[in-house]
């Protein structure tokens, strides 16, 4: 459809925004790479010197690195599992003609609009607080000891908070997909005598493969960068992930060089994850 | 066996009554066509029989057994949908075999039945393809294949050919009739195309606003329409309706005469007029004539008729082929 002429015109037209976006990305990235090769400590300003790969060596051999990497993966994996499975179930529920469905839908979507810092504070002080929290009240009412989430299960607590925020996103996307399912196909399955579980497995799940792929891709990108929920709840010590470790190096150890090296490593790891995700998932998106 | 009986079937969506009161007997092995204008409730009636809609009141019997409260899959009927409704993620093989799999048949039996159905429908080469890799006609055949493997008591078709182009539609029409001959299974077929209805049906059920206007063989409906509605609906081009003095002379409120029963004559004839315009179809010419006595009439003339618009013409109706209707639009016999 596009002629040679319209195509080159198109390229010229998008060029300014592409260049702006490229600069937007490349300048901070370039500076981070540059800092990562320097000995650059905020307690010792003016004495920056080139030290090659030493920052990388220190960062990679630091036991905190493996732990942060593990936490990152655990957060991404658990939240993905919860939001995709939970999102599918919620979407199936909301797709039914239940009473007050529009209101319920709105309520389900609401957490997505809450700022991460706010939701972290609310969860820490109102939901999971061992003395005054709602969960503590519930467990006490049921006759159990209240759980001190952030003292004993900080990682699980962070996962719950983050999942609470991302579940609505998954639900929304999957619900939209469910609503686009062909009505006659549903009836054909009914004529074929398909029980609900088989219907889910053979018709709904294949139909959802694509939106689930989209959810996994988008969430992974954001979940690798979870920071506010960890920082605000003060669970960085045990539940800290890669972004938290970078923050820790830079602003608590004042080691800008080391933090930059960590940042670059995080970028490389994220790209590896993205590469494999795309490979795995690309097939789904084509189909 | 596939005897289907509707007894005082009524269907309302909320306050809107779509089928007020329908009773109908369909005998085993019949090819019955539901026909009527858009929105008259053909699909709704078919879906009631299938069990995809609940009855508001009344009963449906299949082979004498009341199935009004039995779910669709257990009624032993197969349905072919207008949009085909194939399962997009399954191969043609699995599409056809899915119902059998859900019924719990062993795999080799399913394979054998699918192979047989595919052979009947010329689909053997396409068994591993997905629906989106098929043409419209092939998809239609898969939908039919899915219906026949279950060896139903009756087939339900809801405008299965409306998405196909004209040539393919004629082919598929013949294939479906062939299938009916080979299987001898009851078929109920919904269409708003009266040519399809006339060519395919053993019996036609004409629906008007949810009411069954008339049931009969194609020729019965053509020769003896019970009402103005049926007279106007069956036959192409449409029957001419004449009111006023000409009708009164025949003791009717409305006089109906089909275009093929009016002859162009030399001399004075019974009615005189001028040709408004002419459609030349090759085999026939359809003339739209403004007559002095009876208003605008459509007339079928031979293909080699050479009249031009504006020319004067004389017409003579075949009096025995006239249909007389009273004020309520019912036939006077
Ligand atoms: N689920 C529904 N709720 C409310 N009204 C409905 C519903 N389904 C159908 N109707 C109404 O019932 C009437 C008959 O619909 P139906 O689909 O049976 O028509 P049809 O004869 O098949 O028409 P077409 O030839 O256009 O397919 C229509 O006026 C339609 O608006
Ligand atoms: Mg219809």
């Amino acid at each position: 459809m596009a002629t040679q002429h319209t195509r080159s015109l198109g390229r010229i037209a998008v060029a300014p925004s592409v260049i702006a976006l490229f600069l937007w990305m490349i300048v901070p990235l370039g500076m981070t790479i540059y800092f990562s090769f320097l000995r650059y400590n905020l307690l010792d300003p003016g004495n920056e010197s080139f030290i090659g790969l030493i920052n990388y060596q220190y960062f990679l051999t630091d036991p905190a690195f493996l732990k942060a990497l593990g936490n990152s993966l655990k957060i991404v994996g658990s939240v993905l599992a919860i939001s995709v499975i939970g999102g599918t179930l919620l979407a199936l529920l909301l797709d039914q003609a239940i009473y007050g469905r529009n209101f319920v839908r709105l309520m389900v979507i609401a957490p997505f609009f809450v700022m991460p810092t706010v939701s972290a504070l609310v969860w820490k002080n109102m939901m999971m607080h061992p003395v005054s929290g709602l969960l503590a009240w519930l467990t006490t009412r049921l006759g159990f000891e209240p759980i001190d989430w952030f003292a004993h299960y900080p990682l699980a607590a962070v996962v719950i908070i983050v999942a609470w925020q991302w579940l609505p996103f998954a639900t929304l996307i999957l619900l939209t997909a469910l609503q686009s399912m062909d009505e006659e196909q549903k009836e054909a399955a009914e004529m074929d005598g398909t029980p609900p579980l088989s219907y889910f497995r053979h018709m709904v799940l294949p139909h959802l493969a694509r939106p689930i792929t989209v959810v996994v891709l988008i969430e992974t990108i954001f979940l690798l960068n979870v920071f506010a929920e960890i920082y605000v709840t003060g669970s960085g010590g045990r539940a800290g992930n890669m972004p938290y470790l970078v923050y820790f190096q830079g602003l608590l150890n004042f080691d800008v060089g080391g933090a930059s090296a960590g940042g670059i490593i995080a970028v490389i790891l994220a790209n590896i994850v993205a590469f494999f995700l795309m490979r795995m998932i690309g097939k789904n998106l084509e189909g | 066996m596939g005897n289907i009986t509707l007894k005082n079937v009524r269907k309302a969506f909320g306050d809107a009554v779509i089928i007020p009161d329908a009773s109908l007997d369909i005998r085993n092995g019949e090819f019955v066509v539901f026909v009527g204008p858009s929105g008259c409730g053909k699909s709704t009636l078919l879906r009631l029989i299938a069990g995809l809609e609940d009855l508001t009141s009344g009963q449906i019997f299949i082979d004498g057994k009341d199935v009004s409260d039995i779910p669709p899959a257990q009624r032993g009927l197969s349905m072919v949908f207008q949009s085909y409704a194939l399962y997009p993620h399954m191969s043609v093989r699995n599409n056809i075999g899915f119902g059998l799999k859900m019924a719990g048949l062993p795999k080799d039996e399913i394979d054998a039945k699918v192979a047989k159905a595919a052979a009947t429908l010329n689909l053997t080469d396409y068994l591993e393809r997905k629906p989106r890799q098929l043409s419209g006609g092939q998809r239609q055949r898969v939908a039919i294949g899915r219906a026949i493997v279950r060896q139903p008591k009756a087939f339900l078709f809801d405008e299965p050919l409306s998405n196909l182009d004209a040539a393919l539609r004629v082919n598929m029409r013949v294939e479906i009739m062939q299938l009916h001959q080979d299987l001898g299974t009851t078929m109920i077929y919904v269409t708003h195309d009266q040519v399809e209805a006339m060519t395919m049906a053993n019996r036609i059920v004409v629906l008007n606003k949810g009411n069954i206007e008339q049931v009969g063989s194609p020729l019965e409906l053509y020769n003896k329409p019970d009402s103005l509605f049926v007279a106007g609906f069956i036959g192409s081009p449409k029957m001419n309706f004449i009111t006023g003095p000409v009708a009164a002379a025949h003791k009717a409120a409305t006089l109906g005469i089909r275009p093929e029963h009016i002859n162009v004559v030399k001399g004075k004839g019974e009615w005189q007029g001028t040709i408004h315009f002419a459609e030349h179809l090759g085999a026939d010419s359809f003339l739209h004539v403004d007559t002095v006595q009876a208003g605008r009439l459509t007339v079928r003339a031979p293909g080699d008729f050479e009249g031009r618009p504006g020319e004067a013409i004389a017409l003579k109706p075949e009096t025995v082929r006239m249909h007389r209707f009273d004020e309520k639009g019912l036939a006077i016999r």
Side-chain angles (χ1 to χ4, degrees), chain B residues 42-44 82 158-159 190:
Chain B
K42 306 179 294 286
S43 300
T44 306
Q82 180 171 3
D158 192 355
E159 308 204 23
V190 165

Side-chain angles (χ1 to χ4, degrees), chain B residues 4-50:
Chain B
I4 299 173
T5 306
L6 311 188
K7 205 170 151 196
N8 300 111
V9 164
R10 180 185 174 85
K11 177 65 185 176
F13 293 105
D15 287 339
V17 180
I18 305 300
I19 313 273
D21 180 7
S23 295
L24 182 65
D25 243 320
I26 295 169
R27 293 181 288 269
N28 185 39
E30 252 187 325
F31 197 119
V32 171
V33 173
F34 291 176
V35 69
S38 188
C40 68
K42 306 179 294 286
S43 300
T44 306
L45 197 55
L46 194 73
R47 293 161 55 80
L48 284 168
I49 296 172

Side-chain angles (χ1 to χ4, degrees), chain B residues 293-328:
Chain B
Q293 295 88 350
R296 169 79 56 88
L297 296 177
T298 312
V299 177
R300 191 175 82 175
D304 54 7
F305 182 81
E306 290 201 342
R308 306 241 148 253
E311 279 177 27
I313 190 172
L315 303 173
K316 182 167 172 34
E318 297 173 21
T319 317
V320 287
R321 298 284 214 157
M322 284 183 177
H323 303 268
R324 299 185 302 140
F325 301 96
D326 63 15
E327 293 79 13
K328 292 202 205 96

Side-chain angles (χ1 to χ4, degrees), chain B residues 87 89-96 127-131:
Chain B
Y87 307 130
H89 310 283
M90 293 181 203
S91 63
V92 168
R93 178 189 300 284
N94 291 340
N95 259 289
I96 297 178
L127 278 177
E128 305 313 323
R129 293 215 197 161
K130 293 274 171 66

Side-chain angles (χ1 to χ4, degrees), chain A residues 184-198:
Chain A
E184 285 200 338
Q185 199 185 310
K186 216 178 269 183
E187 292 176 346
E190 208 178 328
M191 295 292 296
D192 271 340
T194 320
L197 268 182
S198 305

